[in-house]
């Protein structure tokens, strides 16, 4: 017999999964109890655009086979997730299924939500991005080996602590262009100012590749910071940070900071946006698809 379950509780069959946009399930399994159960010869199918699917590993053995995967809420709505057998002849056959529900986070305070692998810009966005679909950007926080929610208390190593943060939406007048940032040199990085900052760029790209080409400072307003601070959103693409959130592009290739700069130039706009950091579960990984 084959069935869906969570890796942590393999005796409990899954019949329904409810997620918020950007929220990731704990590791799930498509599991067989007998050697001849069809685990690896099926296709996973889900309602289009509802979730992201990531398979992480698989195993085949005499005591049973399995496939491990995780789902992340992508767009609000309802549908199904199915395991479909594709026979050599005859009709397709559904071997397992469960219902899916994805909803927007019920958070009256947050304009953006960071959940571990994605940054979700859920409201207060420029007109140019309205109608662009759900704005989920790949995001990473923490050093390699420390990219897990339970290590948020590890100074300079773990991911951004859970809580509420604000950031200013204007462009820092001291660094409002690449030319201005280049003229400031090292002072561009040591600048503790608020607002969106351009960073130095040379002929080979970012002068400070640990930072990228743009950043904006985060100010904590709620939550346990564990004695940590100096956090930013920035657009490097190295696949790690010392606690900042490295933000990449969304599924359509849209860059987060291009949208943020558009918001900075729009009217009306909020002087500050609010970011909620809430990991999907304690052991949530915080390595998104930002490395390139």
């Amino acid at each position: 017999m084959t069935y869906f379950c969570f890796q942590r509780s393999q005796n409990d069959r899954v019949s329904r999964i409810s997620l918020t946009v950007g929220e990731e399930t704990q590791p799930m399994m498509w599991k067989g109890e007998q050697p001849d159960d069809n685990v690896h010869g099926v296709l996973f199918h889900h309602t289009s655009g509802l979730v992201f699917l990531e398979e992480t590993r698989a195993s085949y053995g005499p005591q049973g086979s399995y496939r491990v995967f995780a789902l992340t809420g992508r767009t609000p709505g309802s549908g199904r997730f199915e395991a479909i057998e594709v026979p050599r002849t005859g009709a397709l056959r559904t071997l397992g299924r469960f219902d899916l529900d994805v909803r927007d986070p019920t958070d009256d305070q947050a304009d953006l939500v960071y959940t571990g692998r994605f940054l979700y810009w859920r409201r207060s966005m420029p007109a140019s991005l309205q109608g662009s679909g759900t704005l989920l950007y790949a995001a990473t926080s923490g050093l390699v080996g420390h990219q897990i929610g339970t290590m948020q208390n590890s100074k300079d190593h773990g991911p951004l602590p859970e809580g509420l943060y604000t950031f200013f939406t204007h462009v820092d007048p001291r660094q409002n262009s690449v030319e201005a940032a280049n003229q400031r040199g090292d002072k561009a990085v040591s600048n503790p100012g608020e607002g969106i900052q351009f960073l130095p760029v040379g002929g080979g790209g970012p002068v400070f590749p640990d930072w990228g080409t743009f950043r904006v400072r985060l100010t904590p307003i709620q939550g346990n910071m564990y004695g940590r601070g100096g956090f930013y959103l920035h657009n490097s693409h190295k696949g790690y940070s010392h606690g900042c959130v490295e933000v990449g592009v969304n599924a359509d290739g849209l860059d987060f900071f291009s949208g943020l700069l558009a918001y900075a130039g729009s009217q009306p706009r909020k002087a500050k946006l609010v970011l909620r950091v809430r990991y999907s579960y304690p052991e949530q990984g915080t390595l998104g698809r930002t490395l390139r």
Side-chain angles (χ1 to χ4, degrees):
M1 177 181 293
T2 48
Y3 59 93
F4 289 110
C5 63
F6 284 104
Q7 189 172 9
R8 64 178 183 180
S9 53
Q10 299 179 23
N11 292 326
D12 299 327
R13 273 61 166 173
V14 170
S15 60
R16 178 179 293 273
I17 295 291
S18 295
L19 296 168
T20 58
V21 175
E23 182 183 8
E24 182 178 323
T25 64
Q26 296 192 34
M28 299 186 67
M29 300 179 75
W30 170 243
K31 185 179 179 182
E33 296 180 319
Q34 303 297 327
D36 58 350
D37 285 338
N38 190 355
V39 171
H40 302 288
V42 303
L43 300 176
F44 289 152
H45 177 267
H46 58 82
T47 304
S48 179
L50 201 60
V51 293
F52 289 115
L53 164 67
E54 182 177 13
E55 286 200 61
T56 54
R57 58 193 177 92
S59 178
Y60 176 83
Q63 303 304 316
S65 302
Y66 61 83
R67 292 160 67 179
V68 180
F69 64 96
L71 302 177
T72 301
R74 182 178 181 182
T75 305
S78 299
R80 283 182 173 176
F81 189 93
E82 299 175 315
I84 298 177
E85 183 180 47
V86 184
R88 293 183 179 179
T89 60
L92 302 180
R93 188 162 67 105
T94 300
L95 299 185
R97 65 162 59 113
F98 57 84
D99 293 326
L100 276 174
D101 293 307
V102 180
R103 64 191 187 282
D104 197 69
T106 55
D107 192 324
D108 294 333
Q109 294 177 284
D111 301 294
L112 303 94
V113 180
Y114 174 56
T115 53
R117 301 186 201 273
F118 292 95
L119 177 67
Y120 175 32
W121 195 347
R122 57 185 296 262
R123 69 180 186 192
S124 306
M125 60 193 68
S128 59
L129 291 183
Q130 294 174 11
S132 298
T134 305
L135 297 177
L136 272 175
Y137 298 89
T140 293
S141 187
L143 289 177
V144 175
H146 297 78
Q147 293 168 333
I148 185 170
T150 53
M151 302 199 75
Q152 62 187 276
N153 62 343
S154 179
K155 188 174 183 179
D156 297 328
H157 291 76
L160 185 64
E162 291 181 298
L164 276 179
Y165 300 78
T166 62
F167 60 89
F168 281 94
T169 61
H170 67 270
V171 178
D172 183 344
R174 289 173 292 182
Q175 288 173 219
N176 58 4
S177 68
V178 172
E179 292 75 18
N182 285 349
Q183 289 176 6
R184 290 177 61 83
D186 291 348
K187 291 182 179 179
V189 169
S190 60
N191 176 10
E194 304 280 5
I196 306 162
Q197 296 175 343
F198 285 71
L199 296 173
V201 178
V207 174
F208 299 98
D210 281 354
W211 288 100
T213 57
F214 294 99
R215 71 180 187 179
V216 64
R217 188 179 185 89
L218 298 175
T219 300
I221 60 172
Q222 185 184 100
N224 187 349
M225 297 296 111
Y226 305 99
R228 307 177 65 190
F231 299 119
Y232 288 80
L233 303 178
H234 59 80
N235 71 337
S236 60
H237 45 79
K238 57 191 187 297
Y240 66 88
S241 77
H242 291 273
C244 296
V245 179
E246 178 179 83
V247 189
V249 299
N250 71 357
D252 296 319
L254 297 175
D255 180 82
F256 171 73
F257 275 92
S258 66
L260 192 57
L261 286 169
Y263 186 72
S266 65
Q267 291 294 337
R269 66 171 171 84
K270 295 181 179 179
K272 297 179 183 179
L273 293 182
V274 179
L275 167 68
R276 167 84 66 187
V277 178
R278 179 174 54 215
Y279 298 122
S280 300
Y281 56 97
E283 297 81 19
Q284 168 69 59
T286 58
L287 172 60
R289 295 182 180 273
T290 59
L291 175 63
R292 67 177 194 272

